[in-house]
Amino acid sequence: MKIHNEDIKFIKADEDLKTLITNNWKPIIGNHMHINDGISIVGMLKEEPIAVISVYWTHWIKPLNEEMDGYIDIIEVKDDYRRNGIAKYLVEKAEDECRVRNLKQIRSWSSDNKIEALQMWKKFGYGMCPARIISGPNQDILVNGFYVVKTLTQET
């Protein structure tokens, strides 16, 4: 479905919107939305949430534990609304939120089976590092994928 970004209202999520998304879209999205320890931005088409990005703020480890970055915990656009530039807009807004906080970088993770996401990160100028993580409810599943990261320059 072809839509224009001006048809979508992008808002910062609160607990009520998080609950709406958890109950009426996908619970996993709501489980990865950050309100108090980061920011979640939701794309609304009329009263329907169609896209979300959520970033949380995290300190680095010693000896650089004074530094912080933003970690994109989830980015999702409903299937019918993909290929309209919505994800690009959300990522740019997340990057802007990190810059406002003087964070050095923004990063995320994508498994190797998410081909569209991997192509998106490359297109948006993110560096990619192949890696394996241990996942699953019992921490017994090995998942191949990529850490992605972008250094943020401060706007002047």
Side-chain angles (χ1 to χ4, degrees):
M1 172 181 301
K2 190 67 178 164
I3 58 169
H4 302 284
N5 277 354
E6 56 268 12
D7 297 330
I8 303 169
K9 182 178 176 184
F10 293 94
I11 59 175
K12 291 181 183 178
D14 59 14
E15 289 293 339
D16 291 337
L17 187 50
K18 179 179 175 177
T19 300
L20 174 75
I21 289 169
T22 302
N23 293 337
N24 298 314
W25 186 0
K26 289 182 185 176
I28 194 168
I29 295 172
N31 294 341
H32 288 274
M33 288 178 68
H34 297 272
I35 307 298
N36 299 316
D37 60 343
I39 188 168
S40 294
I41 302 168
V42 178
M44 301 288 290
L45 185 61
K46 298 180 182 170
E47 301 299 314
E48 177 189 7
I50 63 164
V52 65
I53 191 168
S54 189
V55 180
Y56 65 87
W57 324 125
T58 181
H59 280 276
W60 292 3
I61 60 173
K62 290 184 179 184
L64 301 175
N65 53 320
E66 296 301 317
E67 300 289 342
M68 291 181 69
D69 66 15
Y71 186 88
I72 299 172
D73 203 8
I74 195 162
I75 179 169
E76 186 77 30
V77 178
K78 285 187 175 179
D79 291 346
D80 290 346
Y81 302 101
R82 292 183 179 174
R83 303 252 180 242
N84 285 292
I86 298 168
K88 181 176 179 18
Y89 184 85
L90 288 172
V91 170
E92 288 171 352
K93 290 296 160 200
E95 291 171 0
D96 290 346
E97 290 291 336
C98 290
R99 283 188 189 95
V100 166
R101 290 163 176 77
N102 291 318
L103 302 182
K104 305 296 182 203
Q105 66 184 23
I106 187 168
R107 59 191 173 91
S108 193
W109 158 267
S110 281
S111 58
D112 65 354
N113 64 339
K114 295 185 178 175
I115 304 301
E116 285 184 50
L118 295 173
Q119 291 171 344
M120 175 192 76
W121 293 123
K122 284 174 54 178
K123 182 178 178 182
F124 294 170
Y126 279 68
M128 302 179 75
C129 180
R132 290 186 174 131
I133 64 168
I134 298 173
S135 187
N138 298 318
Q139 295 294 296
D140 60 352
I141 300 170
L142 189 61
V143 180
N144 293 320
F146 295 83
Y147 284 107
V148 299
V149 66
K150 186 174 191 181
T151 301
L152 299 172
T153 56
Q154 302 306 316
E155 303 285 320
T156 56

